[in-house]
Amino acid sequence: KAVSLWNLGFVPVALIVVSLLTYSLEHLFTINGRRFMLHIYRMLDLALPSLDPLKYHQTPAFYAYVSQGYALVLLQMLIFALMLQEVSAIVMGYTVCQFLLQAAPVALSPPKAQIGTLQAELLSWSDDP
């Protein structure tokens, strides 16, 4: 049975599209994505100063999980509030996020002596305050 022109043309076109998408997504999420996340973390640092002790945890991803979770819960509750046309979703999301903001540093932060040691070590590497 003969192969149609559609089948002959589809595979190369699909491979080209997949390789272009792969290249563009890798470029977007590795190079530009890192720069974008640096800006996001700066904004979160300004908005959530009580989470600073989590940066010194043995697992640095804790700060990212908690700060991104805070932002995502607020965003989700904002979307629910817009969909339901009720303010109670925003109030509930804000209350849950404030509880998270107060409980996470108490439960997950390393001891203050360890934070001081790490800060002193970082200051010895550079002159920046």
Side-chain angles (χ1 to χ4, degrees), residues 63-78:
Y63 173 76
Y65 293 151
V66 174
S67 61
Q68 290 173 5
Y70 179 89
L72 290 176
V73 167
L74 278 182
L75 179 65
Q76 182 180 12
M77 289 302 159
L78 177 66

Side-chain angles (χ1 to χ4, degrees), residues 91-102:
V91 172
M92 185 179 77
Y94 180 77
T95 305
V96 167
C97 286
Q98 288 302 316
F99 175 75
L100 174 71
L101 203 60
Q102 300 301 320

Side-chain angles (χ1 to χ4, degrees), residues 1-16:
K1 198 172 187 180
V3 179
S4 70
L5 289 176
W6 172 254
N7 288 339
L8 287 175
F10 179 74
V11 172
V13 168
L15 288 174
I16 290 171

Side-chain angles (χ1 to χ4, degrees), residues 15-33:
L15 288 174
I16 290 171
V17 168
V18 166
S19 58
L20 285 174
L21 282 174
T22 303
Y23 173 76
S24 62
L25 288 176
E26 283 177 356
H27 182 72
L28 177 71
F29 288 117
T30 56
I31 297 168
N32 293 332

Side-chain angles (χ1 to χ4, degrees), residues 34-53:
R34 289 179 188 147
R35 281 191 222 134
F36 180 70
M37 286 310 296
L38 287 175
H39 295 296
I40 294 292
Y41 284 134
R42 282 188 200 139
M43 288 189 317
L44 288 173
D45 285 346
L46 292 174
L48 310 171
S50 66
L51 292 181
D52 282 343

Side-chain angles (χ1 to χ4, degrees), residues 78-89:
L78 177 66
I79 291 170
F80 283 157
L82 292 174
M83 289 174 55
L84 299 174
Q85 296 178 350
E86 291 185 14
V87 179
S88 62

